[in-house]
Amino acid sequence: MSMFKKTILIIFASLLLTANVLAEKVKIGTEGAYPPWNAKDESGKLIGFEIELANWLCIYMEHDCTIVEQDWDGMIPALLMRKFDAIMAGMSITAERQKTITFSQGYADEVAQLAVMKGSDLEGMDTPSGINLSLGGSDVKSALETLTGVLAGKSVCVQTATIHQNFLDSGDVGKINVRTYKTQDEVNLDLAAGRCDAALAAAVSFTDYAEKSGKPVVLVGPTFSGGAFGSGVGVGIRQAGDDAIGQRDAQLLKDFNKAIDTARANGKISELAIKWFGFDASM
Amino acid sequence: MDLMIESLPRLLNATKLTIELTLLSLFFGIFVGVFFAILRTGKNKFFYYIAYYYSYIFRGTPLLVQIFIIYFGLGQVEWIRESFLWIVLKEPYSCAILAFTLNTGAYSSEIFRSAFETINKGVLEAAKGLGLNKVHTFFKIKLPIAIRQSLPAYGNEMILMLKGTSLASTVTLLDLTGVAKYIISTTFRPVEVFIVAGGIYLIMTFIIHNFIKYLEKRFSYPQ
Amino acid sequence: MGLLAYGDTGWGDELFYATLMTIAVAAAALFIGFFLAAIFASFKLSKIKVLNLIGSFYTTVFRGVPELLVIYLFFFGGSGAVMYVAKIFGYDGYIEINAFITGAVSIGVISGAYSTEVFRGAIQSIDKGQFEASEVLGFKKKIYYYKIIIPQMLRLALPNINNVWQITLKDTSLISVTGLVEIMRMSYIAAGSTRDPLFFYSFAAVLYLFLTFLSMQLFNKLEKHYSKGY
């Protein structure tokens, strides 16, 4: 080996001293900032619906799992860079994301809804209680028209890189002043501070915030599902490939699907959902 | 390669905000800088120390901390939300400009201060001898000389401010860096986006650099 | 004030360790920067035009592009880049580049661009006489560079290195995006948890001021030491 190559190799060897080579364990990435899906308690420990579900699935799959924290906006890059092997972070299955990664079947679902502070003039919107964008139809159309009119020129806050942001950017509700934030927590803070006319996120995350903070946050408008909102929350896994790791990923996908089937059949998902969401959000 | 072409229009659109933020902050910052530079070179001890600590604090802490305190910190204080201050502090745009202005004001005040201090004493004595009063001396003699002296260092500050505006993306504003990050995080192709967005910043840096060179030529007097 | 208590009830200990982390990553970045600066400064001083261009390209790009963009480049692309190079050498596995390395390298590359200019300026301002005298006395280039030029360069460069250090130290606040727990990220976590951003970000400002102050003292001492005999 030439002197040059040797030197470069030494530099990389020293970098490796601080690196970990992936073994047979399975690492699962989560945000830890999206209650009740995943969050942290006062001592900084990860808790939430997905934490418990992940642990159960891992025991069933007989894998040695560790749950790793990751900022939401770096979630998919971190998966691709193999910082972990699966994502369980309240990530909805969408066609856009499926271009880069693959998903297990959905294990739970959430509906999105707009939230405002009590007393806002957006309260009392004349829309159906829920619309499914995948189904389409005249009442979806008229609901979207009502929303476009009501939200015109208003500021709506969302977490960045979410289905909620995609929906607002899609033009289905016309031109709105979309404000993006790193975490749902920041969205909640600015909503409460009066900086946003409204916010869009999973309905449960607003009810969770209202409960914990005592702020008068009110859900308004229809619940959203389908279309840009994806088809449920699933486990994000790297797409299968030809190399060793790619094969492992394909197997991991099969394992997760089998485990989710079992968890659904024996009611485990429903049980955890009722515990964390207050209702059966399983799918 | 096609990502670079595809992302260009969106990035150029965001550049407008970057330019706005930079120009407005620099504009207000000059006034702030001159003001504090005068305080620093004046005789009043109290004002001297106010200017000294203002400069020390805003140059000794990261811009990110400053913008977070103004936007997230002050935003959570009840009485601020109910006061007239909220007009400025409610919107991320004005919060960003406030933070940037205070920051560049501090650095600018140092630049102008050193320019004021190194004005040849002989020139000032000549002005006194000619019977020019303090105000006249300031505007007709001190200021023009100080401007010329400050140009190289101030040019540098202009570039630093341009880079500083990238922090607007941390408080929800979609400037060039904010949009670049969005594109990177949805396409996972950081190198291509870096080249395009970085390239746009470099072009702006180049323009500033040459603008300052032009001003230096124009303001120079035969020695 | 109880928020800052050391131990379980307060954030004092977390912030203390975060401060140490800030110092560590800033120092690592500074030295990575010196390593790069040594290379690129010599490029810029070289008689070979291509090397001059490469050196100028490096300093122009990494002083002209916002730090956040450079950090995103390394954060979203870093692991991939290192793994790509490792593949060339036949290593096909996964290399995790941790947050510390990503942070130190991205800030280090930027710091190096500034340091390059400092080194270059310092060497260029050393009296040409020193070079000529060394040649005449028969010293080999490598030797007189090391024993005569570089010590003088350090003395001249010291004030500017202080500036580079201040910039590097403050830039570390931006790598909170990689998840590394330094001052800014810890304050962010504490602010989120206690819903008191004003207190914690203000305290972060205090911590940075404290570090700035300490650095000034340190550099003043160094300047005095290296100026002996002048």
Side-chain angles (χ1 to χ4, degrees):
Chain A
M1 218 194 283
S2 75
M3 190 62 202
F4 175 69
K5 261 198 175 177
K6 258 200 197 146
T7 332
I8 303 289
L9 208 56
I10 292 178
I11 296 178
F12 275 99
S14 31
L15 274 178
L16 276 174
L17 283 177
T18 53
N20 324 46
V21 179
L22 204 54
E24 280 297 61
K25 312 187 176 178
V26 173
K27 289 203 195 141
I28 302 181
T30 195
E31 188 190 0
Y34 196 53
W37 293 87
N38 52 79
K40 288 206 272 206
D41 67 7
E42 285 100 44
S43 71
K45 210 178 72 156
L46 288 168
I47 57 172
F49 168 72
E50 283 170 313
I51 312 301
E52 287 201 44
L53 182 60
N55 286 330
W56 191 94
L57 293 173
C58 285
I59 295 175
Y60 178 83
M61 296 188 293
E62 289 176 7
H63 283 321
D64 181 10
C65 294
T66 7
I67 304 189
V68 177
E69 237 180 280
Q70 170 61 42
D71 276 359
W72 175 253
D73 49 11
M75 193 67 75
I76 294 184
L79 178 73
L80 294 175
M81 279 193 246
R82 304 186 196 158
K83 187 173 167 187
F84 37 78
D85 309 295
I87 296 175
M88 283 181 74
M91 186 176 277
S92 300
I93 306 169
T94 67
E96 189 66 37
R97 289 174 181 149
Q98 279 172 316
K99 286 187 194 158
T100 333
I101 62 174
T102 184
F103 285 92
S104 71
Q105 56 175 309
Y107 47 81
D109 206 352
E110 57 178 25
V111 286
Q113 208 171 354
L114 288 163
V116 295
M117 298 308 287
K118 209 171 165 65
S120 154
D121 57 356
L122 287 171
E123 283 187 83
M125 248 187 261
D126 180 21
T127 57
S129 65
I131 57 174
N132 185 322
L133 295 170
S134 299
L135 296 178
S138 62
D139 59 329
V140 171
K141 266 189 78 190
S142 68
L144 289 176
E145 271 166 30
T146 316
L147 285 166
T148 309
V150 164
L151 291 173
K154 299 249 194 267
S155 57
V156 183
C157 300
V158 273
Q159 186 181 11
T160 180
T162 54
I163 50 180
H164 315 291
Q165 183 188 1
N166 290 343
F167 172 68
L168 292 177
D169 282 339
S170 69
D172 276 354
V173 279
K175 274 222 137 248
I176 325 177
N177 184 354
V178 181
R179 296 247 184 94
T180 56
Y181 297 78
K182 208 160 141 63
T183 62
Q184 182 59 34
D185 210 40
E186 286 174 27
V187 174
N188 295 337
L189 283 176
D190 262 13
L191 176 67
R195 282 193 167 128
C196 316
D197 295 315
L200 180 64
V204 289
S205 67
F206 287 127
T207 36
D208 183 273
Y209 174 64
E211 233 173 87
K212 298 227 177 86
S213 68
K215 299 265 187 254
V217 176
V218 185
L219 291 169
V220 300
T223 61
F224 298 98
S225 54
F229 292 95
S231 33
V233 170
V235 182
I237 296 180
R238 287 180 293 271
Q239 292 173 340
D242 292 323
D243 58 342
I245 304 233
Q247 302 289 13
R248 214 173 140 263
D249 292 333
Q251 184 57 45
L252 194 59
L253 179 63
K254 291 203 190 104
D255 292 344
F256 264 110
N257 275 328
K258 222 170 132 239
I260 294 173
D261 277 331
T262 312
R264 179 185 305 120
N266 67 15
K268 189 66 188 172
I269 305 184
S270 303
E271 175 199 323
L272 288 176
I274 293 176
K275 171 179 177 189
W276 288 97
F277 293 87
F279 59 91
D280 188 355
S282 70
M283 61 182 283
Chain B
M1 190 57 205
D2 28 276
L3 175 65
M4 304 210 298
I5 301 175
E6 220 185 282
S7 57
L8 195 55
R10 267 186 293 177
L11 291 171
L12 285 176
N13 194 36
T15 309
K16 282 189 242 154
L17 180 60
T18 292
I19 296 178
E20 256 181 61
L21 290 169
T22 309
L23 291 178
L24 283 174
S25 309
L26 284 172
F27 177 73
F28 292 126
I30 292 182
F31 291 103
V32 175
V34 171
F35 175 70
F36 281 102
I38 295 177
L39 290 187
R40 277 292 281 284
T41 53
K43 293 201 198 90
N44 187 319
K45 268 228 151 140
F46 176 67
F47 287 137
Y48 174 84
Y49 278 111
I50 291 195
Y52 178 79
Y53 283 112
Y54 161 72
S55 176
Y56 189 70
I57 292 175
F58 278 92
R59 289 182 314 138
T61 54
L63 180 55
L64 186 66
V65 177
Q66 294 162 19
I67 204 174
F68 268 37
I69 289 180
I70 291 178
Y71 186 73
F72 291 115
L74 296 180
Q76 292 304 312
V77 179
E78 282 286 347
W79 61 263
I80 288 187
R81 294 214 291 270
E82 277 147 38
S83 72
F84 67 95
L85 292 170
W86 194 234
I87 303 175
V88 170
L89 295 174
K90 178 175 176 200
E91 291 299 314
Y93 184 81
S94 38
C95 280
I97 294 194
L98 177 62
F100 295 152
T101 300
L102 289 174
N103 186 278
T104 185
Y107 284 98
S108 304
S109 77
E110 286 299 310
I111 296 174
F112 298 149
R113 174 183 72 84
S114 109
F116 282 144
E117 280 174 2
T118 54
I119 292 178
N120 192 329
K121 283 251 162 3
V123 176
L124 295 176
E125 281 171 19
K128 225 176 175 184
L130 285 169
L132 291 176
N133 67 22
K134 268 216 164 122
V135 177
H136 255 122
T137 318
F138 179 75
F139 281 103
K140 296 258 175 199
I141 312 271
K142 272 176 131 182
L143 202 50
I145 297 183
I147 291 177
R148 174 61 185 86
Q149 292 263 57
S150 318
L151 278 175
Y154 193 71
N156 202 42
E157 173 58 24
M158 288 175 78
I159 293 177
L160 286 178
M161 189 71 260
L162 173 65
K163 294 200 297 174
T165 60
S166 65
L167 293 179
S169 58
T170 63
V171 290
T172 82
L173 291 171
L174 286 174
D175 71 323
L176 180 51
T177 299
V179 173
K181 180 185 183 197
Y182 176 72
I183 298 178
I184 292 178
S185 63
T186 46
T187 60
F188 312 109
R189 310 241 288 267
V191 181
E192 285 137 293
V193 182
F194 178 81
I195 293 176
V196 183
I200 298 178
Y201 275 109
L202 286 179
I203 292 176
M204 292 193 280
T205 303
F206 182 73
I207 294 176
I208 293 178
H209 190 73
N210 283 28
F211 175 66
I212 294 293
K213 279 254 147 72
Y214 164 75
L215 284 182
E216 279 180 35
K217 278 217 183 89
R218 224 173 143 262
F219 272 86
S220 70
Y221 39 88
Q223 293 288 355
Chain C
M1 257 316 159
L3 284 169
L4 287 178
Y6 212 79
D8 266 344
T9 51
W11 295 87
D13 44 344
E14 280 95 343
L15 284 168
F16 175 69
Y17 286 116
T19 307
L20 291 182
M21 181 59 91
T22 291
I23 298 176
V25 76
L30 190 70
F31 285 106
I32 292 177
F34 284 165
F35 176 70
L36 291 169
I39 299 174
F40 286 99
S42 60
F43 279 11
K44 282 187 102 157
L45 291 167
S46 148
K47 296 210 181 75
I48 308 173
K49 273 252 154 83
V50 179
L51 290 181
N52 287 355
L53 274 172
I54 296 179
S56 293
F57 183 74
Y58 170 68
T59 54
T60 307
V61 169
F62 289 103
R63 287 185 311 155
V65 173
E67 301 81 358
L68 271 182
L69 218 47
V70 177
I71 292 173
Y72 291 145
L73 176 69
F74 281 97
F75 175 61
F76 286 99
S79 245
V82 178
M83 277 164 66
Y84 179 74
V85 181
K87 248 195 182 155
I88 299 178
F89 291 94
Y91 183 75
D92 215 359
Y94 166 67
I95 303 177
E96 176 183 349
I97 303 301
N98 61 34
F100 184 87
I101 293 192
T102 311
V105 170
S106 28
I107 304 294
V109 168
I110 297 173
S111 179
Y114 287 102
S115 295
T116 303
E117 288 301 296
V118 172
F119 288 359
R120 184 179 68 86
I123 291 194
Q124 280 179 330
S125 61
I126 292 179
D127 184 12
K128 285 253 179 298
Q130 300 280 335
F131 291 89
E132 288 166 14
S134 313
E135 291 271 6
V136 164
L137 285 168
F139 287 120
K140 282 219 172 107
K141 213 175 190 182
K142 279 207 177 124
I143 297 184
Y144 79 69
Y145 250 92
Y146 191 61
K147 291 224 175 249
I148 299 184
I149 303 298
I150 301 225
Q152 292 189 55
M153 186 210 84
L154 285 177
R155 181 183 65 86
L156 287 166
L158 216 44
N160 289 320
I161 292 189
N162 182 16
N163 288 341
V164 177
W165 166 250
Q166 301 284 357
I167 293 174
T168 305
L169 189 60
K170 286 184 285 180
D171 281 351
T172 60
S173 63
L174 299 172
I175 49 180
S176 36
V177 70
T178 66
L180 184 68
V181 182
E182 39 68 61
I183 293 180
M184 205 54 205
R185 178 139 186 105
M186 194 67 241
S187 310
Y188 178 83
I189 294 175
S193 178
T194 60
R195 301 265 148 81
D196 198 350
L198 188 58
F199 178 76
F200 282 103
Y201 292 138
S202 304
F203 190 69
V206 170
L207 285 174
Y208 280 108
L209 280 175
F210 177 65
L211 289 177
T212 303
F213 176 73
L214 276 185
S215 308
M216 290 295 310
Q217 306 296 86
L218 180 65
F219 271 93
N220 282 342
K221 283 222 165 76
L222 280 176
E223 273 180 55
K224 279 213 183 99
H225 172 85
Y226 273 94
S227 294
K228 280 197 202 142
Y230 286 88

